[in-house]
Amino acid sequence: MEVAFTEKDFYAEHFVPKDYLENYYSFSPGKDGANALLRFSLDNLHQAFGAGGIKGDTLIDIGTGPTIYQFLSACESFREIIATDYTDQNREELQRWLKGDLDAFDWTPVVKYVCELEGDREKWAEKENKVRRAIRQVLKCDVTQPDPLAPQVVPPADCLLSFYCVESAAKDLPTYRSALKNISSLVKPGGHLVFHTILEDTFYMVGPHPFSCLYLRQKDVEEAVKEAGFAIQWLKETRVDFPFSVTDAKGACTVVAQKIHS
């Protein structure tokens, strides 16, 4: 499918959080590709933030979307989490879950999976409360800007987290590299980046609408992370298998890196 670059205004008008969540995060029967990819992400987050992993005071998540899965392991290691996203509707959907609204997306199966990784599946309600306490701010973010959180002023964080964001916001490889440099300004020298991206992908569906994705190979991601001032500590890649009606993605990778200069 040939998909033109999805501009910011199209996201603001047509990206429906509930459709996105149901498609990719529901752990539903018959969605083997999405379920396997979600487990891959959760396993890597558990490795990054679990025993002996990354810890600190403040974590900034870039491109949170309407999701909370990326905080389930991190909330054990960070006192304060700052969530960010470009679109109003994603930030509003996140706030619905934080407030415990009855119409918010049900993350229970995902939370239970992470609790099982940690050794106690039954602590899922306690885990949800811990995430809610940890998320102190939900801010607007634009990774194409030199200061992605402007006009908000946020001190550099101990860790920067970003899943499925930059490859959607960048129309080409130079923009992708520039966006990684932009977000790197938000983390302290010596701080960490936990970065996840889809590979060999040109589009993904949300409801009836296709959204563009920058086609990336693993080496493109590695080079961009290094160029942004990070030393890669570990990287995991997986192949993915989605119906073409959902996305043409072929893989995904998670990178954990440390910032080596400002």
Side-chain angles (χ1 to χ4, degrees):
M1 183 187 296
E2 192 71 31
V3 177
F5 176 67
T6 306
E7 301 287 351
K8 296 171 186 176
D9 289 349
F10 191 87
Y11 266 94
E13 187 173 349
H14 295 292
F15 192 94
V16 178
K18 283 280 172 61
D19 289 344
Y20 174 70
L21 292 168
E22 289 294 342
N23 232 14
Y24 301 103
Y25 298 100
S26 62
F27 265 156
S28 297
K31 292 186 177 177
D32 294 346
N35 296 343
L37 181 55
L38 180 52
R39 282 192 292 268
F40 174 76
S41 300
L42 296 171
D43 291 350
N44 289 340
L45 287 161
H46 175 66
Q47 180 179 338
F49 296 113
I54 302 164
K55 298 188 185 311
D57 288 325
T58 305
L59 177 146
I60 298 175
D61 182 39
I62 298 296
T64 301
T67 66
I68 61 97
Y69 71 97
Q70 64 272 45
F71 305 132
L72 296 171
S73 295
C75 72
E76 305 292 342
S77 303
F78 286 86
R79 182 178 53 81
E80 177 181 1
I81 293 172
I82 299 171
T84 74
D85 197 74
Y86 180 76
T87 70
D88 294 343
Q89 63 267 35
N90 278 340
R91 297 194 308 276
E92 288 162 7
E93 179 63 31
L94 177 61
Q95 292 281 16
R96 269 192 281 278
W97 184 85
L98 290 173
K99 291 172 187 171
D101 287 3
L102 293 176
D103 67 340
F105 185 74
D106 181 12
W107 285 99
T108 308
V110 178
V111 180
K112 286 182 175 178
Y113 179 87
V114 174
C115 289
E116 196 166 346
L117 289 177
E118 294 175 357
D120 189 349
R121 184 180 174 85
E122 297 312 310
K123 283 193 171 179
W124 64 271
E126 184 182 319
K127 171 74 80 176
E128 287 192 346
N129 288 332
K130 189 171 259 190
V131 173
R132 289 186 171 103
R133 287 195 302 271
I135 297 175
R136 305 292 178 83
Q137 298 181 77
V138 180
L139 304 178
K140 188 176 179 71
C141 172
D142 185 346
V143 299
T144 65
Q145 301 303 309
D147 182 355
L149 300 183
Q152 297 288 333
V153 178
V154 176
D158 299 296
C159 183
L160 197 63
L161 184 64
S162 187
F163 274 50
Y164 303 120
C165 171
V166 182
E167 66 269 31
S168 298
K171 63 183 176 182
D172 53 32
L173 206 46
T175 310
Y176 181 79
R177 291 185 180 127
S178 177
L180 264 169
K181 289 176 183 172
N182 293 342
I183 68 172
S184 76
S185 67
L186 301 172
V187 66
K188 299 172 182 174
H192 285 84
L193 171 71
V194 180
F195 187 69
H196 183 89
T197 192
I198 207 78
L199 299 174
E200 300 167 57
D201 181 21
T202 66
F203 79 95
Y204 66 102
M205 299 297 296
V206 178
H209 299 291
F211 289 79
S212 67
C213 198
L214 179 63
Y215 186 93
L216 295 165
R217 297 158 299 172
Q218 182 180 308
K219 74 169 192 174
D220 298 322
V221 179
E222 291 183 67
E223 288 170 0
V225 167
K226 290 173 184 174
E227 196 177 299
F230 295 93
I232 294 174
Q233 296 182 321
W234 57 264
L235 180 150
K236 288 191 177 180
E237 190 263 352
T238 189
R239 297 283 90 190
V240 300
D241 183 19
F242 280 89
F244 188 73
S245 58
V246 175
T247 177
D248 62 349
K250 302 292 188 298
C253 72
T254 303
V255 180
V256 171
Q258 188 169 26
K259 189 172 181 181
I260 52 178
H261 58 74
S262 56

